[in-house]
Amino acid sequence: MATNNLITPAQSAFQHHFEAMVPLILSEWPQLIEENLLATEGDLDLAVAYIGGEIDHTQTLIRRHLDELASLIEVDPPDLGKAARKAARKAARKVSRSGSGALTSALEATGLESVRSLEVDKSSIDNLLDDLESRTENLIQELKAEMLPELEKRARGNLGQSLLIALGIGFVLGLILGGKRG
């Protein structure tokens, strides 16, 4: 039988981010030796076999754990070439002329799908803020309608006690904030 020499996407990603993953792997499994880990040269299968030989976990569990560690690595955005930057500027001008609805078509025309993931729809943010503002106003109106009349009724019913409490709070605050005189 012929052996399959194809590199899977997971192996390719592991090789690409291996340098950044070594410190994470060593912090996760301190019993590993850095030189031995580096000797795997980013080969996922060799690294899994080495880690499996040093610790008492299955290779499947180690692969899952390595996937989790890989998700912790912040991937730098790809450097846009001169032509891509020019196309991005052209798309931005097109969007500013035609409105936010043309953003998708402008991105498709330039082929910058990575920029699409960074798209923030201003109208959705405005809608969210409007919704939060209206909810806050409703809560304030409910508070005024339900709590304030009851508190006012209690304060009027116990006028002497309310005045003494207010005077006591004022006296304590005066001592604390007034400082020393003379």
Side-chain angles (χ1 to χ4, degrees):
M1 291 199 136
T3 58
N4 191 356
N5 291 331
L6 295 176
I7 296 177
T8 65
Q11 290 171 330
S12 174
F14 184 77
Q15 268 184 332
H16 182 69
H17 299 294
F18 181 67
E19 295 289 325
M21 286 189 64
V22 168
L24 291 174
I25 294 170
L26 292 174
S27 68
E28 190 66 31
W29 295 297
Q31 67 270 30
L32 299 179
I33 300 170
E34 184 175 5
E35 291 78 25
N36 293 346
L37 185 60
L38 290 173
T40 63
E41 298 176 348
D43 186 339
L44 181 61
D45 294 328
L46 288 176
V48 168
Y50 167 65
I51 295 170
E54 295 293 320
I55 63 171
D56 192 27
H57 291 301
T58 64
Q59 289 189 358
T60 304
L61 184 61
I62 293 169
R63 282 182 187 269
R64 285 184 188 156
H65 207 93
L66 287 174
D67 285 341
E68 289 177 18
L69 290 176
S71 70
L72 296 176
I73 295 174
E74 188 172 314
V75 179
D76 294 333
D79 186 28
L80 295 177
K82 195 174 193 179
R85 281 193 293 265
K86 185 177 179 181
R89 274 189 245 115
K90 184 178 179 181
R93 281 193 299 269
K94 183 177 180 182
V95 168
S96 66
R97 275 187 255 126
S98 59
S100 63
L103 183 60
T104 304
S105 63
L107 287 174
E108 288 170 357
T110 60
L112 295 174
E113 275 73 26
S114 63
V115 178
R116 183 183 298 175
S117 65
L118 301 175
E119 177 185 338
V120 176
D121 189 10
K122 288 184 180 180
S123 63
S124 66
I125 292 174
D126 289 339
N127 291 340
L128 178 65
L129 288 175
D130 289 340
D131 183 43
L132 289 174
E133 186 177 336
S134 65
R135 286 183 185 184
T136 305
E137 287 175 4
N138 289 339
L139 287 174
I140 290 172
Q141 289 174 354
E142 286 179 23
L143 176 72
K144 286 180 180 177
E146 293 176 7
M147 297 295 288
L148 285 180
E150 185 178 329
L151 290 175
E152 188 176 327
K153 190 187 303 180
R154 285 186 181 179
R156 288 178 191 256
N158 301 322
L159 188 60
Q161 185 181 5
S162 298
L163 285 173
L164 287 174
I165 290 173
L167 284 172
I169 291 173
F171 179 75
V172 170
L173 286 175
L175 290 174
I176 292 172
L177 299 176
K180 295 184 179 179
R181 294 185 187 178

